[in-house]
């Protein structure tokens, strides 16, 4: 086991100085928020921002408005806020239609990611842009859900499964309005434990969308999910995730079960992202995290497995062999649950599914083709 001290060595630092100022201006209170705003606007080009910074503008507008800020830039920020509010209203009409369709057929739904955060945790349609629109259903309901979506005008973006295989977890859809969302039947992209889904479902909470009800993750589990969003393959953190985590802690501090969070992080080998997010929340946004929890999380040894996974995932370009190792790490996450069925299928079967191959004998041939293409590229 290896201990990584992220306080002394910011090996996962993905924020620049302007982004830190923007986060503080959007989320802190009082003079610190105003000072951060003045410093940020003096150094940033508000008309030419990176995508992640732009995503925080609605939240920035809400916080500056609450502080009574009057500024020439406020008109621009208000316009982004209003556009977000309108786009969210339109999107939630589709969300409501899907929930209603599923409920009529007895399918229970859980709203995930951006949409869940917007409707339940931000509680303001204009403050949180929605880019990831995901539903979770029980694995047993997945095929019926796919069929219903097709009937109401959603088109599958990939091959429609005939059966739910042990390695499948999601299917993307779009419609004539070019709206997109993902139907998921496993919460994590690189872990397929049936007991994990039940564990999170049992602790989920109901939220309302107009007169409809759907589940969302409870505050503790939502904080974990913000840190990993579907799995370690998504280990590159957009700054909006830090804002999401701060909103959760600021609004639901009393409802965070810190022992549960630490236990889940250890169980699913997600120590690095938890260390990373909590460290940044403490250092940049002064979030209300108990010091004992910060010390405990920082003292947990990080396994060699997790370190290797992070090192590979964070590389922008990977060789074919590194890509294959990354696939094996994902496979290892799936089978590291005493799941004899998955172990029996083996890594070649996993590659067969991931690569969309009809026959197992095609795997070595496909591996050779992919290796040659990577070398040529």
């Amino acid at each position: 086991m290896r201990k990584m001290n992220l306080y002394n060595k910011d090996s996962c630092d993905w924020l620049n100085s302007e982004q830190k100022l923007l986060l503080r201006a959007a989320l802190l209170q009082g003079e610190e928020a105003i000072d951060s705003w003045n410093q940020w606007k003096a150094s940033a080009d508000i008309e030419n921002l990176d995508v992640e910074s732009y995503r925080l503008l609605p939240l920035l507008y809400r916080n500056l408005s609450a502080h009574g800020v009057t500024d020439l830039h406020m008109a621009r920020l208000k316009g982004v806020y209003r556009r977000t509010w309108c786009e969210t209203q339109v999107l939630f009409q589709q969300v409501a239609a899907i929930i209603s369709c599923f409920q009529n057929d007895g399918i229970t739904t859980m709203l995930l990611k951006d949409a869940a955060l917007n409707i339940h945790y931000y509680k303001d349609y204009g403050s949180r842009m929605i880019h990831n629109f995901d539903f979770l259903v029980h694995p047993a309901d997945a095929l019926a859900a796919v069929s219903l979506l097709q009937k109401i005008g959603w088109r599958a973006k990939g091959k429609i499964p005939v059966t739910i295989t042990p390695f499948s977890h999601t299917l993307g859809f779009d419609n004539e309005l070019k709206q997109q969302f993902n139907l998921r039947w496993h919460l994590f992209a690189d872990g397929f434990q049936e007991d994990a889904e039940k564990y999170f479902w049992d602790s989920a909470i109901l939220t309302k969308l107009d007169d409809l009800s759907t589940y969302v993750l409870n505050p503790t589990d939502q904080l974990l999910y913000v840190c990993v969003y579907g799995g370690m393959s998504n280990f590159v953190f957009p700054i909006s995730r830090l804002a999401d985590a701060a909103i959760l802690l600021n609004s639901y501090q009393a409802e965070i079960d810190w022992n549960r969070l630490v236990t889940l992080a250890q169980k699913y080998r997600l120590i690095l992202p938890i260390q990373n997010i909590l460290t940044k929340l403490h250092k940049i946004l002064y979030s209300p995290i108990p010091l004992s929890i910060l010390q405990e999380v920082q003292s947990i040894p990080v396994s060699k497995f997790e370190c290797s996974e992070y090192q590979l995932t964070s590389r922008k370009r990977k060789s074919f062999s590194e890509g294959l190792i990354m696939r094996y790490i994902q496979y290892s996450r799936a089978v590291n649950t005493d799941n004899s069925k998955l172990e029996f299928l083996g890594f070649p079967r996993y590659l067969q599914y991931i690569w969309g191959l009809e026959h197992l004998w095609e795997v070595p041939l496909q591996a050779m083709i992919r290796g040659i293409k990577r070398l040529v590229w």
Side-chain angles (χ1 to χ4, degrees):
M1 303 288 280
R2 178 184 176 189
K3 182 177 178 182
M4 294 185 69
N5 191 329
L6 299 183
Y7 283 106
N8 297 329
K9 184 181 179 181
D10 262 340
S11 58
C12 297
D13 196 355
W14 72 97
L15 295 165
N16 60 41
S17 58
E18 287 185 1
Q19 290 171 329
K20 291 176 184 178
L21 286 171
L22 177 57
L23 280 165
R24 289 181 173 130
L27 287 155
L28 295 183
Q29 300 299 308
E31 289 302 317
E32 286 185 298
I34 304 302
D35 290 345
S36 296
W37 159 246
N38 288 328
Q39 291 180 59
W40 180 77
K41 71 177 182 179
S43 60
D45 180 0
I46 197 170
E47 299 294 336
N48 189 28
L49 296 174
D50 62 273
V51 173
E52 284 304 314
S53 295
Y54 181 80
R55 281 174 138 189
L56 291 187
L57 294 188
L59 187 60
L60 174 65
Y61 171 74
R62 188 175 75 171
N63 199 36
L64 295 180
S65 295
H67 283 81
V69 172
T70 56
D71 190 289
L72 292 175
H73 292 300
M74 290 298 286
R76 163 71 166 159
L77 298 179
K78 185 176 183 179
V80 177
Y81 175 89
R82 284 184 169 179
R83 179 175 179 176
T84 302
W85 189 91
C86 292
E87 289 177 345
T88 301
Q89 289 277 10
V90 172
L91 184 64
F92 275 139
Q93 291 176 7
Q94 295 295 328
V95 173
I98 293 172
I99 293 174
S100 179
C101 178
F102 282 0
Q103 286 183 350
N104 290 339
D105 210 58
I107 296 176
T108 305
T109 60
M110 186 189 296
L111 200 57
L112 301 174
K113 297 189 179 179
D114 296 4
L117 289 162
N118 181 298
I119 194 173
H120 188 81
Y121 289 104
Y122 280 75
K123 297 184 183 299
D124 180 353
Y125 284 176
S127 292
R128 179 57 163 84
M129 294 183 182
I130 299 180
H131 294 272
N132 295 295
F133 165 26
D134 286 39
F135 270 116
L136 180 72
V137 298
H138 292 287
D141 293 328
L143 293 178
V146 170
S147 178
L148 284 173
L149 287 167
Q150 290 177 292
K151 289 179 181 178
I152 61 174
W154 289 90
R155 300 180 296 255
K157 297 172 67 178
K159 185 178 180 181
I160 298 174
V162 178
T163 60
I164 298 301
T165 69
F167 295 127
S168 63
H169 65 279
T170 186
L171 184 63
F173 288 84
D174 61 16
N175 62 12
E176 293 181 352
L177 299 176
K178 297 184 179 180
Q179 295 169 322
Q180 302 182 21
F181 88 99
N182 293 314
L183 177 72
R184 305 180 69 96
W185 45 93
H186 286 297
L187 197 59
F188 297 104
D190 36 28
F192 308 92
Q193 309 93 317
E194 295 294 337
D195 64 323
E197 301 342 300
K198 184 178 187 306
Y199 192 69
F200 288 102
W201 274 109
D202 289 347
S203 302
I205 55 179
L206 279 172
T207 195
K208 300 288 288 184
L209 176 58
D210 298 328
D211 58 343
L212 296 169
S213 295
T214 186
Y215 284 96
V216 294
L217 293 168
N218 69 49
T220 303
D221 296 349
Q222 186 67 66
L223 180 58
L224 175 75
Y225 207 58
V226 163
C227 293
V228 297
Y229 263 10
M232 287 291 284
S233 58
N234 193 17
F235 204 176
V236 178
F237 298 98
I239 62 173
S240 56
R241 278 204 230 173
L242 204 57
D244 293 338
I247 290 290
L248 275 163
L249 288 176
N250 292 341
S251 301
Y252 294 87
Q253 179 184 358
E255 297 178 40
I256 300 294
D257 183 341
W258 292 105
N259 290 328
R260 176 182 172 94
L261 183 73
V262 173
T263 299
L264 288 173
Q266 291 177 301
K267 179 178 181 180
Y268 298 115
R269 293 186 289 185
L270 299 170
I271 299 301
L272 267 176
I274 296 297
Q275 286 181 342
N276 201 3
I277 286 286
L278 295 189
T279 298
K280 294 296 185 293
L281 288 169
H282 173 72
K283 293 174 67 176
I284 299 171
L285 297 173
Y286 323 121
S287 295
I289 305 169
L291 182 59
S292 60
I293 295 297
L294 280 170
Q295 292 172 340
E296 179 182 356
V297 168
Q298 287 301 127
S299 68
I300 298 174
V302 179
S303 67
K304 184 178 179 180
F305 173 93
E306 223 182 299
C307 291
S308 299
E309 184 178 31
Y310 167 70
Q311 289 168 1
L312 283 172
T313 304
S314 59
R315 291 178 187 171
K316 293 182 179 180
R317 294 184 178 180
K318 302 179 184 67
S319 68
F320 176 73
S321 60
E322 289 173 336
L324 207 58
I325 293 171
M326 192 67 227
R327 288 297 188 192
Y328 186 77
I329 288 174
Q330 292 168 352
Y331 166 75
S332 298
R333 277 192 174 276
V335 301
N336 190 38
T337 56
D338 297 324
N339 192 326
S340 58
K341 183 177 181 181
L342 287 174
E343 288 195 76
F344 175 75
L345 288 171
F347 185 53
R349 288 285 187 189
Y350 177 73
L351 292 178
Q352 180 187 356
Y353 167 74
I354 291 294
W355 290 343
L357 304 175
E358 293 291 333
H359 307 286
L360 185 61
W361 60 262
E362 295 177 88
V363 171
L365 178 61
Q366 183 66 208
M368 183 174 65
I369 292 172
R370 287 170 178 259
I372 292 172
K373 285 184 177 178
R374 185 61 62 91
L375 285 173
V376 172
W377 177 78

